[in-house]
Amino acid sequence: MSAAAVEHPCDGEPERPKRQERKEPESLLDSAERLSEQLPGHRVEIIGGVITVAPSPDGAHANALTSLMVPFLAAGLHSEESKVLQAVGVWLPGGPSDYAIPDLAVVDADFDKGEARNNCYDPGAFRLVLEVTSGNYQNDLRNKVVAYAAAKIPVYVILDRRHGRVHILTEPFAGGYDNHQVYAPGHKVTLPGSIGAEVTLDVAALVAAGRPRPKREPSPEPSAEPGTEQSPEPSES
């Protein structure tokens, strides 16, 4: 006995396309991480809910940063009580994903005892942050002033290479720093003792360290001596 064919109600009807699952929108942190992978050497930060990208620093920037580190190290701030660190991330309260990566920071020695998210740490462990300006100098002089003050970081130092000045900002409040002093070459500035030691900065030396060297002009070709003729170039046959 053969089995009778069973008709299905969908026989002969075209297949309906499957629903495509909606992709979740990329978070700010995911976008920042993707940009960091795509732009090696660039500094990617999120400040005020906006992703910022700083280009790779030039040699003069690195020279100035090293010159800035010397007095902090000489004062004994890289010790059992505190650390002097380059490019360590700090969480900012301006948004759920906000963070910055200052060029230099003085932090408590146990800065990493708490939870670290995206390699960034609690701003309560930061005694000082320092930035050496590059092409994005307005970000250091404006947006980060508000961001670091909101994080209640006690001291913010800026080496403004564009204008040849050093800014010292202290006494943070909700919209910025109540005390903002600007120093030109010729001044020597002693930082607040709250960072853990007495540190004095020579403004002229720092400005000079951050100034790019002038490009060398190409040497002129030697001219022929009077009374001599230059032989013509051989022609190609």
Side-chain angles (χ1 to χ4, degrees):
M1 183 175 179
S2 61
V6 179
E7 293 185 1
H8 294 278
C10 295
D11 284 351
E13 294 183 10
E15 291 186 4
R16 295 179 181 178
K18 294 181 180 179
R19 281 187 184 178
Q20 293 184 351
E21 295 182 1
R22 291 184 179 179
K23 293 183 178 179
E24 292 293 330
E26 190 177 51
S27 70
L28 274 177
L29 280 177
D30 289 338
S31 298
E33 186 176 347
R34 175 174 52 80
L35 284 171
S36 296
E37 294 174 354
Q38 293 175 347
L39 302 170
H42 289 61
R43 182 166 298 183
V44 180
E45 301 167 301
I46 303 175
I47 300 174
V50 177
I51 295 177
T52 66
V53 180
S56 302
D58 58 14
H61 180 285
N63 186 40
L65 185 56
T66 301
S67 298
L68 275 160
M69 283 189 67
V70 171
F72 290 97
L73 298 175
L77 283 170
H78 196 69
S79 63
E80 294 181 359
E81 298 295 327
S82 60
K83 299 296 178 186
V84 180
L85 305 176
Q86 293 188 39
V88 61
V90 55
W91 281 109
L92 301 172
S97 302
D98 281 19
Y99 70 93
I101 307 174
D103 287 320
L104 191 71
V106 177
V107 299
D108 296 339
D110 60 353
F111 72 97
D112 54 353
K113 70 176 182 180
E115 179 187 2
R117 295 176 294 162
N118 198 36
N119 292 326
C120 296
Y121 300 91
D122 188 334
F126 285 69
R127 304 180 185 185
L128 171 147
V129 290
L130 186 151
E131 299 284 3
V132 177
T133 63
S134 294
N136 61 335
Y137 69 96
Q138 291 186 347
N139 192 43
D140 294 330
L141 293 168
R142 295 179 183 176
N143 301 335
K144 286 189 174 181
V145 170
V146 176
Y148 288 147
K152 298 181 180 179
I153 297 175
V155 184
Y156 178 25
V157 178
I158 308 167
L159 172 56
D160 180 1
R161 295 197 297 154
R162 184 182 180 90
H163 301 101
R165 299 288 187 270
V166 169
H167 298 246
I168 309 294
L169 296 87
T170 58
E171 302 174 22
F173 68 97
Y177 284 86
D178 194 46
N179 189 358
H180 184 166
Q181 303 294 326
V182 184
Y183 299 93
H187 289 84
K188 291 188 178 182
V189 188
T190 299
L191 300 178
S194 61
I195 65 174
E198 183 175 305
V199 175
T200 300
L201 304 180
D202 184 335
V203 177
L206 295 175
V207 169
R211 186 181 297 122
R213 292 185 180 182
K215 294 181 179 179
R216 293 181 179 179
E217 296 292 334
S219 302
E221 295 183 3
S223 57
E225 295 182 4
T228 61
E229 294 184 1
Q230 291 184 345
S231 57
E233 293 285 339
S235 60
E236 295 183 1
S237 55

